[in-house]
């Protein structure tokens, strides 16, 4: 597999006028970003043929799941503004050569921020297309120096009750936890997002840095990360702990394996309007060519 992944959805594929406007704003926004790292152009025209238009800023930042701020779709936008995201540090520990508490700006200084237009598919069967700005997780793990016996990566979200009204509820066991196998974590599609549309990622979307794993259901893409642990055991994950029958460790998008309470065959694209037809969900959310080999020989109905 090529080292660097090239965008399969490109700005060339989106609705012409809106796209050009967005693209300009994106570049302007990127130039104005004081953030560490540079935005590398990653747009290429080798598209798979599905002309996808990214969701609007308002849709992406107004309809969210972030239970630390409440369980309603509009709660995060309403409540997350008070979250302090500066200073921010990430503890990297476990099987790494350079464990420690890294200031976010030091951790990502010099790493390349790329634009990645990805499909995003929630297990609740809604979806969006989101133009992220992010750093390949592999580049961040390289800073920490992953040891050869590590097999998994575990992630944790901040828990700060004074700023997160949702953690007063026991709806999940806090902190929100997620995990990936090491090959998934170092796959070139896996990014840590710091921006959307070239602007800093808003709090409700997981500021200042969140995981994005586009071939998995959205709950794997954990927000506002404060800890990354390298381990040789499969880590516990929040939704799997809450209900193992409904939420597996892998949670790859799969139209052929239904959730116990709803079908995963189709999805509702946010912003499509009340009468828009549901669209077919794609195997691995459309990233089958890139990721299927990682699951060769696994029964995907068993390893949900
Ligand atoms: N991360 C944390 N810390 N808390 C959450 O409640 N929700 C997950 C995921 N990451 C969640 C989280 C779920 S269910 C989804 S679908 C996505 O975030 C939603 O991301 P978005 O709001 O940016 O669309």
């Amino acid at each position: 597999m090529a080292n660097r992944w090239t965008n399969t959805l490109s700005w060339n594929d989106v609705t012409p006028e809106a796209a050009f406007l967005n693209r300009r704003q994106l570049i302007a926004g990127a130039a104005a970003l004081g953030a560490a790292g540079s935005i590398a152009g990653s747009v290429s025209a080798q598209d798979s043929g599905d002309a996808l238009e990214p969701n609007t800023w308002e849709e992406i930042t107004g309809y969210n799941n972030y239970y630390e701020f409440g369980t309603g779709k509009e709660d995060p936008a309403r409540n997350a503004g008070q979250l302090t995201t500066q200073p921010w540090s990430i503890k990297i520990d476990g099987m790494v050569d350079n464990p420690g508490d890294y200031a976010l700006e030091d951790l990502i200084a010099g790493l390349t921020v790329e634009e990645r237009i990805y499909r995003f598919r929630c297990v609740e069967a809604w979806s969006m297309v989101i133009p992220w700005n992010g750093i390949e997780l592999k580049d961040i793990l390289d800073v920490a120096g992953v040891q050869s016996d590590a097999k998994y990566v575990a992630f944790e979200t901040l828990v700060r009750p004074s700023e997160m009204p949702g953690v007063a509820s026991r709806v999940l066991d806090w902190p929100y936890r997620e995990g990936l196998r090491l090959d998934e974590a170092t796959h070139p599609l896996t990014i840590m997002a710091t921006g959307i549309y070239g602007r800093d990622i808003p709090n409700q979307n997981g500021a200042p840095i969140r995981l994005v794993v586009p071939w998995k259901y959205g709950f794997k893409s954990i927000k506002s990360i404060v800890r990354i642990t390298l381990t040789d055991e499969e880590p516990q994950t929040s939704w799997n702990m809450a209900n193992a029958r409904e939420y597996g460790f892998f949670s790859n998008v799969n139209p052929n394996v239904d959730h116990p309470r709803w079908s995963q065959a189709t999805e509702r694209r946010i912003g499509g309007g009340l009468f828009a037809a549901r669209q077919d969900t794609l195997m691995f959310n459309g990233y089958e060519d890139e990721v299927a080999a990682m699951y060769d020989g696994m029964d995907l109905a068993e390893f949900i």
Side-chain angles (χ1 to χ4, degrees), residues 184 215-216 250 252 284 291-298 300:
E184 300 174 323
W215 71 94
K216 292 177 179 284
F250 287 96
N252 295 313
F284 293 111
V291 304
M294 288 192 289
Y295 309 101
D296 272 354
M298 277 173 66
L300 296 177

Side-chain angles (χ1 to χ4, degrees), residues 8-277:
T8 49
L9 306 179
S10 94
W11 288 102
N12 299 335
D13 304 307
V14 301
T15 312
E17 198 175 5
F20 274 100
L21 285 174
N22 282 342
R23 179 77 183 142
R24 292 216 163 145
Q25 283 162 5
L26 186 77
I27 291 165
L33 260 185
S38 58
I39 303 247
S42 62
V43 179
S44 81
Q46 44 136 295
D47 185 66
S48 50
D50 52 349
L52 283 184
E53 182 166 11
N55 282 89
T56 64
W57 174 264
E58 288 70 27
E59 288 157 0
I60 296 167
T61 64
Y63 185 94
N64 301 96
N65 275 333
Y66 196 167
Y67 279 17
E68 287 87 335
F69 295 100
T71 54
K73 293 288 182 276
E74 292 172 12
D75 289 342
R78 194 179 305 121
N79 297 330
Q82 60 194 336
L83 180 68
T84 313
T85 58
Q86 265 180 334
W88 193 270
S89 67
I90 301 182
K91 178 187 285 300
I92 307 187
D93 60 2
M95 295 171 157
V96 288
D97 293 333
N98 314 308
D101 292 301
Y102 290 83
L104 178 59
E105 58 275 20
D106 296 342
L107 181 64
I108 65 175
L111 303 183
T112 304
V113 180
E114 294 186 33
E115 171 197 297
R116 296 284 178 93
I117 306 167
Y118 284 161
R119 297 180 198 84
F120 188 88
R121 169 63 157 80
C122 180
V123 72
E124 297 163 335
W126 53 264
S127 64
M128 297 201 201
V129 174
I130 305 182
W132 304 104
N133 309 99
I135 297 160
E136 288 190 9
L137 174 59
K138 179 183 186 305
D139 292 348
I140 292 178
L141 294 178
D142 282 347
V143 174
V146 176
Q147 295 178 349
S148 57
D149 41 2
K151 294 190 177 69
Y152 296 91
V153 189
F155 304 86
E156 284 180 21
T157 294
L158 175 77
V159 187
R160 190 182 289 151
S162 60
E163 294 182 349
M164 294 174 146
V167 302
S169 138
R170 303 306 305 167
V171 58
L172 285 174
D173 185 18
W174 316 108
Y176 193 100
R177 270 162 274 195
E178 259 308 333
L180 295 172
R181 230 170 44 188
L182 189 59
D183 59 337
E184 300 174 323
T186 56
H187 190 284
L189 282 176
T190 304
I191 60 167
M192 294 278 269
T194 54
I196 293 172
Y197 273 118
R199 296 162 65 175
D200 285 346
I201 192 166
N203 291 353
Q204 60 267 36
N205 292 85
I209 188 160
R210 62 90 59 88
L211 185 69
V212 178
V213 194
W215 71 94
K216 292 177 179 284
Y217 292 119
F219 67 86
K220 297 294 289 182
S221 293
I222 178 173
K223 297 179 170 181
S224 306
I225 292 168
V226 292
R227 186 172 179 194
I228 300 175
T229 307
L230 277 291
T231 158
D232 58 0
E233 281 172 26
E234 187 180 290
Q236 290 200 309
T237 61
S238 290
W239 281 104
N240 182 254
M241 283 155 56
N243 190 336
R245 202 175 70 88
E246 296 192 355
Y247 307 104
F249 176 78
F250 287 96
S251 291
N252 295 313
V253 175
N254 188 341
N256 308 315
V257 177
D258 288 338
H259 183 278
R261 287 183 283 138
W262 54 79
S263 163
Q264 295 293 19
T266 63
E267 63 200 51
R268 175 175 65 95
R269 179 62 50 79
I270 299 298
L274 261 179
F275 304 105

